[in-house]
Amino acid sequence: MDAFEFNRQAWDAVAASNRNWFPPVTATEIESARRGKWQIRVTACRAVPREWLEPLADKRVLCLGGGGGHQGPILAAAGADVTVVDLSEAQLEVDRQIANEERLRIQTVQGNMSDLRLPDDDFDIVVSPCSICFCPDVKPVWRGAHRVLRPGGRLISGMLNPVNYLFDAVELDRGQFVVRHKIPYSDLQLSEAEQRSMLEAGRALEFGHTLADLIAGQTAAGLVITGFYEDRWGGHDPLSQRISVFLATCAEKPGKGE
């Protein structure tokens, strides 16, 4: 089984479960967004600056790897025309249900964010909510985002800091920092038994990318980074107490003639 098929099954399982890992937005949040009181996150805790997204009215927004009823319904309630792309049909069904119940402009496309089958120059904003860690190679994601953005459009991306993947996960949960892995990292290096256990637990395969691929990869694709912030897990995560574990960027596709 390849990584994308593994992760499709894993995210289908998450959507079908009763776990509260990734609860979708509520009707109250959608109503607030309609009144102009909204925010989205592409990392764990910190909200995306609104100036990265505004104005939203009638803008074409692509949520890339964003199924599950999170960013898409909020942005649609705030006035955007939203398309959600995700590997998992079950995750996309959550967005469709919310769209039907709340009368929101949301289209869904089941597909691979590393191989976008969408028209060129079609979106004003692409939002990638910390999902590229599930792609073996991020460079095709950046190239695809650049291609589907209109000139002057923006890519807003949440990413895991590669430092997350350096340490033995079991020991880290105990507060012990035992360096076990190297960057770039891949869950594919785990044994078949470990991978089966991950799937049974509803965990998708993850990949820890280099900072060069995460940041310089965007500029190599033709984007210009215009904004940046860091974030941490909430609670008592041992690593977050010492370093920011998330990165977020805003990047722009230059206009014609620039």
Side-chain angles (χ1 to χ4, degrees), residues 56-71:
L56 274 174
D58 298 319
K59 295 295 185 181
R60 293 267 296 152
V61 177
L62 172 63
C63 291
L64 195 54
H70 307 292
Q71 296 82 17

Side-chain angles (χ1 to χ4, degrees), residues 5-17 19 86-94 110 199 202 204:
E5 177 59 19
F6 185 105
N7 284 352
R8 183 192 65 77
Q9 292 186 28
W11 285 110
D12 280 351
V14 170
S17 74
R19 300 185 185 97
D86 201 281
L87 269 180
S88 168
E89 189 66 31
Q91 291 279 32
L92 292 171
E93 180 59 25
V94 178
Q110 195 276 330
L199 189 58

Side-chain angles (χ1 to χ4, degrees), residues 99-132:
N100 289 335
E101 291 169 2
E102 300 292 340
R103 302 180 305 281
L104 299 172
R105 288 185 296 174
I106 298 178
Q107 299 177 356
T108 61
V109 178
Q110 195 276 330
N112 182 343
M113 63 190 292
S114 296
D115 184 22
L116 284 178
R117 308 293 177 90
L118 297 172
D120 295 356
D121 303 332
D122 198 34
F123 294 95
D124 300 290
I125 301 171
V126 174
V127 175
S128 176
C130 210
S131 52
I132 57 172

